[in-house]
Amino acid sequence: MNPKKILVMSDSHGSVSYALKALEREKPIDLLVHLGDVQGNDQKLQQEAGCPCYFVRGNCDYDDNLPTFTVFQIGNHKVYAAHGHRYHVDYGTEYLEQSALQYGCDIVMYGHTHVPDLREKEKITVLNPGSITHPRQTDPARTYVIMTHDPKTGRIDYELKKI
């Protein structure tokens, strides 16, 4: 898969309005990634996105059809996406990073903390878009991330955005 514009969001907690605002603002997109706690709105978001979507199950999701994590490609990059609660991300991302590296991933995405996190480390890029509905960082803005992939160079740029 060679998506060029990827919308990454998390922790909408059943309130779809801000997620839909982000979708409308960013369309057209090539891929939507929701990192858990979608609480039953995955089909609505998939329908509105009009592109391939990945959803993972968060600690507030009870749909057994949602995977606990997923691995996918963006060009020559391999992505590991999980909600994060099973990896104890409230205490750090080391366990999550190690899980991603075991799958050969160079990007790891997570949610759960409701706090944006974007770090490029030696072997892996760590990304948390924050919460699209219930932020917990000092700046109370609802946030998401836009990833822009250049298929010619393979480079990915990341931009944290606010609703």
Side-chain angles (χ1 to χ4, degrees):
M1 177 183 291
N2 279 317
K4 295 178 182 81
K5 185 176 183 182
I6 301 102
L7 170 57
V8 184
M9 65 175 67
S10 189
D11 295 281
S12 51
H13 287 279
S15 178
V16 75
S17 63
Y18 291 106
L20 292 175
K21 283 182 184 180
L23 270 171
E24 286 307 311
R25 179 184 288 174
E26 300 299 340
K27 277 185 175 180
I29 59 172
D30 300 301
L31 180 65
L32 170 66
V33 180
H34 193 294
L35 298 168
D37 288 349
V38 68
Q39 291 183 274
N41 286 311
D42 49 312
Q43 291 180 1
K44 172 80 172 160
L45 289 174
Q46 187 163 13
Q47 179 182 11
E48 293 296 322
C51 66
C53 300
Y54 290 103
F55 295 90
V56 295
R57 184 173 46 217
N59 58 301
C60 295
D61 291 317
Y62 301 104
D63 182 349
D64 290 338
N65 293 319
L66 294 176
T68 56
F69 73 93
T70 189
V71 175
F72 59 93
Q73 290 285 137
I74 298 174
N76 59 344
H77 298 275
K78 198 169 183 183
V79 179
Y80 189 96
H83 185 59
H85 64 296
R86 295 174 186 256
Y87 302 87
H88 313 290
V89 295
D90 289 321
Y91 306 103
T93 59
E94 294 78 15
Y95 179 49
L96 176 65
E97 292 171 38
Q98 287 304 312
S99 296
L101 289 169
Q102 288 177 350
Y103 281 85
C105 297
D106 61 331
I107 299 171
V108 63
M109 300 177 177
Y110 72 102
H112 186 61
T113 64
H114 295 222
V115 178
D117 181 12
L118 182 56
R119 294 173 283 138
E120 294 195 37
K121 299 176 80 174
E122 184 179 334
K123 294 181 181 179
I124 198 162
T125 299
V126 179
L127 182 159
N128 181 330
S131 174
I132 196 72
T133 304
H134 301 292
R136 291 185 183 148
Q137 69 272 18
T138 306
D139 172 4
R142 295 164 174 91
T143 55
Y144 61 94
V145 167
I146 289 294
M147 297 171 63
T148 307
H149 171 246
D150 182 342
K152 292 179 184 171
T153 65
R155 179 183 165 94
I156 295 180
D157 292 311
Y158 303 85
E159 184 179 1
L160 180 69
K161 293 195 160 190
K162 300 175 182 180
I163 289 280

